């Protein structure tokens, strides 16, 4: 069987502790203002569930450069906070004293100097029950923050995945789809270390999802794209059709729009060594009930983790994007979408269809049980592909 470390994978659901590193470049003379803002923000964050501690550091080489590190019990706890409207409001005062920021997020694999011997989350002992998700940590460790370590590293492919989502005014969908399908692609090469690898645009009703894959620095790639004339022309053309007003010439308005539009990748898995020419990209939209988005994403992640080892599995790779109650599942798969409808929907085996129905806001017609019912449910969830663009060596 393929071990976890042999797969191409990333996940926010392995139960490990999370370390968040925020690099800041302050405006000249803004240190006192920044410290006042930080003290207020620190008190707010200390009461957020899952937060363990944070540290504030100042560079000994350049006093305008600062570093905030924070530790969290798990990635889902942090993501619930950082994607909330409360977080957006709490960090707003920082914009007046911070010139630039960069956020990095890491699972904690090793700790020196702590009296703890972690057990692998990826390879539990034969006497313990396999658990996937945030509860994995409590299944294999004492319930102490210092014990939540993941022993087995994950294998990456050098690609960062991210998405944006927004809604357009009802009735404008055909015009928006035409604009999104017809724009000129920006230059793929950002610098010697970074390039755009793939951009996929989907729609479901009046919701747009733009998923990007970047080799190298995601932030550098996003900034590069925003400066390209062809992309600026597209953004200007769709402005009249957006439900949320924005002014991209105003840094504050642009920052707020893209912060709220961010749809982070919370899980990705791909079988090692699988490459087939007949693979097509699909996207499924899962509107969760209020407060159930993270649980829904974890359910689907568990399905994809379990299926990746099956050589008959038509899904080559899957990526889950989640924010609040919006969950989007990107699938690269062989053959028709409904060849194995339960697997494609993410409910194959056990009572997963019933669990999915309890988490979905759109499951008003009951629980799909037969293949035709699941196929109908799948068809309602499928997003319409607008464009899927890859760099030449990825086509």
């Amino acid at each position: 069987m393929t071990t976890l470390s042999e797969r191409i994978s990333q996940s926010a659901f392995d139960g490990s502790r999370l370390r968040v590193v925020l690099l800041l470049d302050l405006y000249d003379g803004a240190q006192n203002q920044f410290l006042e803002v930080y003290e207020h923000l620190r008190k707010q964050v200390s009461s957020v569930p899952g937060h363990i501690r944070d540290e504030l550091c100042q560079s000994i080489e350049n006093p305008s450069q600062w570093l905030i590190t924070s530790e969290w019990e798990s990635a889902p706890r942090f993501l619930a906070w950082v994607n909330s409207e409360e977080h957006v409001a709490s960090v707003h005062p920082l914009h007046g004293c911070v010139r630039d920021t960069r956020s990095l997020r890491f699972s904690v694999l090793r700790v020196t100097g702590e009296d703890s011997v972690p057990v692998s989350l990826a390879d539990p002992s034969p006497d313990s029950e396999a658990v996937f998700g945030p509860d994995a940590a409590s299944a294999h460790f004492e319930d102490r923050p210092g014990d939540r370590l993941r022993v087995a590293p994950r294998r990456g492919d050098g690609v960062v995945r991210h998405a944006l989502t927004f809604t357009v005014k009802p009735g404008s969908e055909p015009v928006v789809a035409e604009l999104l399908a017809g724009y000129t692609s920006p230059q793929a090469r950002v610098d010697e270390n970074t390039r755009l690898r793939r951009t996929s645009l989907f729609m479901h009703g009046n919701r747009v999802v733009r998923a990007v894959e970047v080799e190298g620095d995601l932030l550098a790639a996003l900034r590069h794209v925003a400066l390209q004339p062809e992309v600026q022309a597209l953004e200007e053309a769709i402005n009249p059709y957006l439900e949320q007003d924005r002014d991209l010439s105003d840094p504050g308005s642009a920052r707020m729009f893209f912060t709220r539009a961010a749809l982070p990748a919370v899980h990705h898995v791909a079988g090692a060594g699988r490459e087939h020419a007949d693979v097509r990209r699909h996207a499924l939209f899962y509107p969760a009930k209020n407060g159930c988005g993270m649980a829904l994403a974890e359910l689907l992640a568990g399905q994809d983790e379990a299926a990746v080892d099956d050589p008959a599995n038509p899904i080559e790779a899957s990526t889950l994007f989640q924010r609040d109650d919006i969950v989007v599942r990107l699938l690269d798969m062989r053959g028709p979408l409904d060849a194995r409808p339960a697997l494609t929907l993410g409910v194959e085996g056990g009572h997963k269809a019933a669990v999915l129905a309890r988490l979905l806001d759109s499951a008003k017609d009951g629980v799909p049980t037969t293949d035709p019912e699941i196929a109908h449910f799948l068809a309602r969830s499928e997003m319409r592909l607008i464009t899927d663009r890859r760099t030449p060596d990825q086509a």
Side-chain angles (χ1 to χ4, degrees), residues 152 159 287 323:
V159 177
R323 180 191 179 96

Side-chain angles (χ1 to χ4, degrees), residues 181-386:
Y183 78 99
T184 302
S185 296
Q187 181 181 347
R189 177 63 62 181
V190 178
D191 54 41
E192 61 180 6
N193 299 314
T194 301
R195 66 168 184 153
L196 299 173
R197 186 173 185 265
R198 190 169 184 174
T199 300
S200 307
L201 279 152
F202 292 88
M203 292 185 71
H204 189 276
N206 70 328
R207 179 167 295 281
V208 177
V209 172
R210 177 190 295 164
V212 298
E213 296 179 0
V214 173
E215 293 179 3
D217 189 329
L218 175 64
L219 184 58
L222 295 178
R223 287 174 173 171
H224 164 80
V225 169
L227 293 174
Q228 301 309 299
E230 51 269 65
V231 173
Q232 291 178 340
L234 171 65
E235 300 287 4
E236 189 67 27
I238 65 174
N239 268 347
Y241 306 108
L242 297 177
E243 285 198 313
Q244 179 187 341
D245 292 334
R246 68 179 184 184
D247 179 5
L248 296 184
S249 64
D250 175 13
S253 176
R255 185 188 304 112
M256 187 63 67
F257 177 83
F258 287 110
T259 297
R260 287 177 169 150
L263 191 63
V266 295
H267 188 269
H268 172 79
V269 65
R274 292 186 182 178
E275 292 185 7
H276 296 86
D278 59 342
V279 173
R280 293 185 58 194
R281 174 156 289 187
H282 304 268
L284 301 176
F285 178 61
Y286 300 81
K289 289 180 180 177
N290 185 35
C292 294
M294 190 69 74
L296 175 55
E298 185 187 358
L299 172 72
L300 298 171
Q303 167 80 68
D304 291 337
E305 286 278 355
V308 71
D309 292 328
D310 181 2
N313 176 17
I315 300 175
E316 297 276 298
S318 69
T319 305
L320 279 161
F321 301 95
Q322 182 264 330
R323 180 191 179 96
D324 300 330
D325 300 324
I326 299 170
V327 179
V328 173
R329 185 158 161 257
L330 208 62
L331 301 175
D332 294 329
M333 63 183 299
R334 308 182 309 275
L337 190 66
D338 58 355
R340 288 174 63 179
L343 176 70
T344 305
L345 188 62
V347 295
E348 190 170 74
H351 304 285
K352 291 179 181 175
V355 177
L356 178 70
R358 288 199 298 269
L359 297 173
L360 277 177
D361 188 47
S362 60
K364 298 180 175 64
D365 299 332
V367 179
T369 55
T370 66
D371 278 350
E373 290 174 344
I374 293 175
H376 177 68
F377 204 91
L378 177 63
R380 291 192 312 181
S381 302
E382 185 178 8
M383 304 187 74
R384 179 162 63 104
L385 176 63
I386 305 302

Side-chain angles (χ1 to χ4, degrees), residues 151-183:
V151 173
R154 293 182 178 272
R155 176 187 169 194
D157 57 357
V159 177
V160 185
R161 297 166 176 87
H162 188 66
L164 297 172
T165 185
F166 53 87
T167 55
V168 297
K169 297 173 182 176
S172 69
E173 296 92 343
V175 177
V176 172
E178 185 176 358
L179 290 169
L180 294 174
Y183 78 99

